[in-house]
Amino acid sequence: MDSKGITITGSPQTVNVALAVLAAPSLTVNPALNGLTINVTSGTTSQAISINNTGGEPLNWTVALGSGVPSFVSLSASAGSNLLGGASAADNVIVNASGVPGGTSYTTSLTVSAIDPITGNIVAGSPITIPITINIAPPAMQLDTSTLAYTTSAGVNPQAQSVNLTNIGGDGLTWSAGPPSQPWLTLGLNKGSNNYQQTSIIPFNVDVTGMTSGSYTATVMITPSVGAAQTVTVTLIIT
C-alpha cells in the first residue's frame, strides 16, 4: 500500500527462488583395477585412459607415471582443469618401441589425482593407481620362398636367385645361413641382423663347373635368433 494506506494494484507478488546444490566432485578412471596391457611390435603406439568426474562440482586432475618408468613411455597430457560434473577427459599412454629389443616385457604404473578447485581438498576417489604392462613382440623371421629351381646347360652357370628374409616381429633379429649341403651352391650373404620390417636379400649362386647332365638337389638351413630354423631347398637341372 502507499503512504495513505491504499493498496497498490498488483501487490503483493511472490517470487519463487530455486537453489540447486551440486554434489561434490568425485573421481573415477577407466580402466582401473584391471590396468593397462599394451602390446607393441615396433614404432609408436598409444592406449587411452578415461578420467571421469562422477560428481557435480568441477575438479582439477593430474597424471603421473610411476618411478622407474622406461624412458620410451610417456603421457599425452599430465594435467587438466575444470572437468565438469558428469564429464570425462582422455589421456594417452604412449609407447615408442623403436630400438627396444623384441621379446621383452616391462611393468610400471600411473597415478591419477584430483582436487576440488573451489576448496582445494582432495576429491572422493583420489588418488587412483593403474598398473601398466608393456609387451614388446619378439623378432620373427619370414622367408619369401623356401624353394629355388635352376635349369641350365652343362658348363653354363645360371643366373643367381635370391631369398628375401624379413623380420616381421620386434626389433633385434639376428640370423645365420648355411653352409649349403652341396659344394656347387654358395651364398652371397650368410648372416645378418634385422629390425622390424627390415629385409635382407640372400643371393644363391650355382657353379656347374665339372658337373654333368642330370638333376641335383641341395639344402640351406637359415637359423634365426628367435623361432625355428627354416630350410631352403634348391633344385638344379643340367641338360
Side-chain angles (χ1 to χ4, degrees):
M1 63 180 61
D2 61 12
S3 59
K4 297 180 180 180
I6 300 173
T7 300
I8 298 174
T9 302
S11 175
Q13 294 189 12
T14 300
V15 178
N16 294 321
V17 177
L19 176 63
V21 179
L22 296 178
S26 181
L27 175 70
T28 64
V29 177
N30 299 107
L33 296 178
N34 294 334
L36 291 176
T37 298
I38 304 175
N39 298 315
V40 190
T41 300
S42 186
T44 301
T45 191
S46 64
Q47 191 159 331
I49 63 169
S50 177
I51 301 166
N52 315 303
N53 182 358
T54 57
E57 294 286 349
L59 61 77
N60 295 346
W61 56 268
T62 60
V63 181
L65 291 168
S67 60
V69 62
S71 60
F72 56 86
V73 181
S74 61
L75 296 170
S76 61
S78 59
S81 61
N82 199 37
L83 181 62
L84 300 178
S88 298
D91 199 2
N92 292 286
V93 180
I94 302 169
V95 177
N96 183 357
S98 298
V100 179
T104 52
S105 294
Y106 303 84
T107 57
T108 185
S109 64
L110 63 80
T111 299
V112 183
S113 304
I115 63 168
D116 184 330
I118 298 174
T119 65
N121 295 330
I122 297 172
V123 308
S126 175
I128 298 172
T129 297
I130 301 173
I132 302 173
T133 301
I134 301 167
N135 300 313
I136 311 298
M141 181 182 74
Q142 182 183 71
L143 305 181
D144 68 339
T145 184
S146 60
T147 59
L148 295 174
Y150 297 80
T151 299
T152 189
S153 302
V156 179
N157 291 334
Q159 184 175 358
Q161 298 183 41
S162 298
V163 171
N164 293 329
L165 182 156
T166 302
N167 178 10
I168 60 172
D171 289 348
L173 174 72
T174 60
W175 56 270
S176 61
S181 63
Q182 298 296 328
W184 49 264
L185 180 65
T186 58
L187 302 178
L189 184 67
N190 60 15
K191 63 181 178 180
S193 60
N194 304 70
N195 285 331
Y196 173 64
Q197 292 293 2
Q198 289 183 341
T199 297
S200 294
I201 301 174
I202 308 172
F204 281 62
N205 305 301
V206 171
D207 185 349
V208 299
T209 302
M211 298 176 68
T212 59
S213 299
S215 180
Y216 302 85
T217 301
T219 58
V220 173
M221 182 171 291
I222 302 177
T223 305
S225 54
V226 178
Q230 299 184 41
T231 299
V232 177
T233 301
V234 179
T235 58
L236 168 64
I237 297 175
I238 302 176
T239 58

